[in-house]
Amino acid sequence: MEQYKQEFIEFMVECEVLKFGEFTLKSGRKSPFFMNAGAYVTGSQLARLGEYYARAIYEHYGADFDVLFGPAYKGIPLSVATSIAFSRLYGKEIRYCSNRKEAKDHGDTGILLGSKLKDGDRVVMIEDVTTSGKSIQETFPIVKGQADVEILGLMVSLNRMERGLDTQKSALEEIREKYGFPAQAIVSMADVVEHLYNRPCQGKIVIDDAMKAAIDQYYEQYGAQ
């Protein structure tokens, strides 16, 4: 596993973005882990987060694209932080773009924040985590409706590796099949378990034998095929 991925896993735990215990998800599933990207709240955290996203995007999609699109609302700071990091790390100016929940009819009018989309733009979409693909379902027609753009792919921070509510496939796989572009994650839960199992992180073991057993049981029931 690449060094930046190992660092990112520990970073999620350090920021209390990724927690282990007993959690009830919106789907009603009882999960032994929970991710909340809203816990990234400081300048230094957002700066580091942008760098991890930039490295993963560069690894999977290269630097030959024009726009980072982050769906409202959590995608807005992600697209800003990552475009800053991309400029610093790779010397490439990437424009950021996000959508508004409601179109603005005065001043900076329209449905978009940041850069406008232009015909021929190559776009990478960026989100925190995708469990159902609902936000992509909402924003995909908005992006395609603004200009004749090419969507190169989606980048999320964590692949939960669990099946959707209606199929046996993961949300990322469903996005690939439905929209025709790849969907990648900085790390997967398999990476997280591999790196943290019986290994100290922030001075304690967060995935011990009992937690590993709980995670394995969860995936036996809800894991994507």
Side-chain angles (χ1 to χ4, degrees), residues 61 123 125 136 140 144 149-154 171-183:
Y61 303 121
V123 178
M125 301 184 77
I136 295 298
F140 179 80
K144 296 295 286 186
V149 303
E150 177 186 2
I151 298 178
L152 299 185
L154 168 70
L172 295 186
E173 184 60 33
E174 289 177 353
I175 288 170
R176 293 186 190 101
E177 292 190 357
K178 185 172 183 178
Y179 300 104
F181 55 78

Side-chain angles (χ1 to χ4, degrees), residues 94-110:
I94 302 295
R95 291 147 40 214
Y96 98 89
C97 179
S98 297
N99 64 299
R100 294 182 172 98
K101 290 293 187 179
E102 297 179 355
K104 190 177 178 183
D105 60 4
H106 61 280
D108 181 20
T109 60

Side-chain angles (χ1 to χ4, degrees), residues 124-172:
V124 172
M125 301 184 77
I126 183 170
E127 280 202 297
D128 55 347
V129 63
T130 296
T131 52
S132 67
K134 183 179 179 181
S135 62
I136 295 298
Q137 181 179 347
E138 294 173 348
T139 55
F140 179 80
I142 293 174
V143 173
K144 296 295 286 186
Q146 298 302 307
D148 183 15
V149 303
E150 177 186 2
I151 298 178
L152 299 185
L154 168 70
M155 180 62 67
V156 302
S157 59
L158 178 67
N159 180 1
R160 288 184 58 97
M161 298 175 57
E162 61 190 82
R163 67 175 186 263
L165 297 179
D166 301 318
T167 75
Q168 298 297 310
K169 299 175 181 177
S170 72
L172 295 186

